Amino acid sequence: MAWDFETDPEYRAELEWAAEFVRTEVEPLDLLYPNPYDRTDTEAMALLRPLQQRVKERGLWGCHLGPELGGPGFGQLKLALLNEVLGTSVWAPSVFGCQAPDSGNAEILAHYGTPEQKERWLRPLLAGEIGSCYVMTEPTGGADPALFTARAVRDGDEWVINGEKWFNSNAEFAAFHIVMVMTDPEAGAHRGMSMFIVPAGTPGLEIVKNFHVRGFSEHEGHLRFTDVRVPADHLLGAQGQGFVVAQTRLGGGRVHHAMRTVALVRRAFDLMCERAVSRQVRTGALGSLQMTQEKIADSWIEMEQFRLLVLRTAWRIDRERDYLKVRRDIAAIKVAMPKVMHDVAQRALHLHGAVGVSDDLPFVDMLTYAEVMGLADGPTEVHKITLAREVLKTYAPGDPVYPSGYRPALRERARDLVARRLEHAVGSL
């Protein structure tokens, strides 16, 4: 039986180095340069590149990637432990080469890209030279592909795209967009969607508006496609395979969000506990009050439960090597993530009093982040349905009138069992 909660000493040393590096070298960037995706900010980039080089020299660059893509091939469990370090900083994922949405887009290109697509887009993306954008959700359809109205129609050697897309992270700074649109309405959402690479600056591609989501992003783009033409070889995968391609990306993305959320929850918890032992009230420290102790106890339990669920899910992904086989677990952490983040951040904010609701502390941003995590990569309600369906698949129907826990029937079977055993025992004397 293999069951271990320890990290091997070699990797533990790497995690300790990363934690110190992020705290002293990376987190200061968060306070002065809020946007790690803007590669036109020459001053920020001049500070970023040397930090990325140190990570590469340490062998921690692109830890979500396998060796065939230039990564160390650590797997999801080790990546989860590293993300517990990186999640405290907006800049840290970019410094370590595993930032969203680029990490998920790289996974799509690695699995479905042609050699030409990989050379043009994947290679510079993995090197951190360019950024990308994932374009799926729509203004009226949300995250439900069955309601998408954006279309692509084949015209000779080109595809012509029309429609609008909604809340596309960092579209303003992307060198290319991976766009999911309908190509065969009669086939339905699961078989009629296709995925395309649309380079930035393609005629007809317009950023209508950038939404500012407090505590998360200032660049959530509303995109409009008006007769946008892309060559036929910009199709990713086969025509009609868009839904399958999307699942390749979304499974990993949901897990990685959860991994980084563990770090933010712990940050809120640490600030809460620091406040509890620092602030004095009439009877002593704030932490001596029972209601404060209840908040701390509840937060610790919820935080540790969530962390263990995330780590177990990462372990299962490494073991199964198929996101679909871990669909139930991924849905569970997606559901748990916003609630744990919200509850711990809200308690921490409350214990800090008036200053807790100000911009001088991170709690309001954390609360917004919790709501974002309840919507990003599919709303919580959808994942609850997925989780319940996956769980129910493992059960067989019983008697609809007298369920398997019906005690009179169980008692009768128990009497028969005991009678047979007594008969056998007496007959053996």
Side-chain angles (χ1 to χ4, degrees), residues 97-283:
C98 58
Q99 71 280 2
D102 298 334
S103 57
N105 290 342
E107 191 166 3
I108 285 179
L109 284 165
H111 280 87
Y112 297 99
T114 64
E116 293 76 17
Q117 290 170 344
K118 291 178 181 179
E119 177 60 26
R120 182 176 178 184
W121 305 113
L122 180 58
R123 185 197 57 75
L125 188 66
L126 295 179
E129 298 169 0
I130 62 173
S132 64
C133 178
Y134 183 67
V135 181
M136 177 178 171
T137 54
E138 297 192 2
T140 57
D144 186 353
L147 299 177
F148 287 178
T149 59
R151 299 283 188 268
V153 178
R154 184 71 179 259
D155 182 18
D157 293 333
E158 295 180 317
W159 286 91
V160 183
I161 303 173
N162 283 281
E164 300 196 10
K165 292 291 184 175
W166 193 245
F167 276 74
N168 306 286
S169 298
N170 305 305
E172 183 178 355
F173 309 109
F176 68 96
H177 311 266
I178 293 182
V179 184
M180 183 175 177
V181 292
M182 179 67 75
T183 52
D184 185 0
E186 294 183 1
H190 289 79
R191 296 181 180 179
M193 292 284 177
S194 299
M195 204 78 80
F196 295 91
I197 298 173
V198 179
T202 300
L205 173 56
E206 174 191 1
I207 299 179
V208 179
K209 175 184 174 65
N210 275 313
F211 290 92
H212 176 203
V213 181
R214 178 172 178 159
F216 182 74
S217 170
E218 295 184 354
H219 303 278
E220 295 294 315
H222 174 188
L223 302 185
R224 179 173 294 147
F225 296 79
T226 305
D227 293 331
V228 172
R229 289 181 172 269
V230 295
D233 62 7
H234 281 40
L235 180 68
L236 268 169
Q239 181 181 344
Q241 203 175 12
F243 192 84
V244 175
V245 175
Q247 293 308 306
T248 300
R249 180 192 193 282
L250 293 173
R254 289 160 183 154
V255 177
H256 299 163
H257 276 314
M259 293 172 180
R260 288 187 285 269
T261 300
V262 171
L264 277 182
V265 173
R266 186 169 296 280
R267 177 63 173 155
F269 181 77
D270 288 343
L271 290 171
M272 183 197 316
C273 292
E274 178 187 76
R275 178 72 169 184
V277 299
S278 302
R279 181 63 182 264
Q280 296 295 310
V281 294
R282 294 181 185 182
T283 58

Side-chain angles (χ1 to χ4, degrees), residues 317-371:
I317 294 172
D318 287 343
R319 185 167 178 259
E320 300 291 347
R321 299 185 180 277
D322 184 346
Y323 285 125
L324 289 178
K325 292 182 179 179
V326 197
R327 191 180 184 191
R328 176 183 60 183
D329 307 72
I330 294 173
I333 61 174
K334 182 67 172 62
V335 170
M337 175 168 41
K339 186 177 189 306
V340 174
M341 182 76 257
H342 172 274
D343 290 354
V344 177
Q346 190 278 331
R347 293 171 192 141
L349 181 155
H350 194 70
L351 290 184
H352 280 79
V355 72
V357 298
S358 74
D359 285 339
D360 288 350
L361 287 172
F363 303 122
V364 174
D365 288 348
M366 288 177 173
L367 291 175
T368 303
Y369 175 85
E371 295 303 320

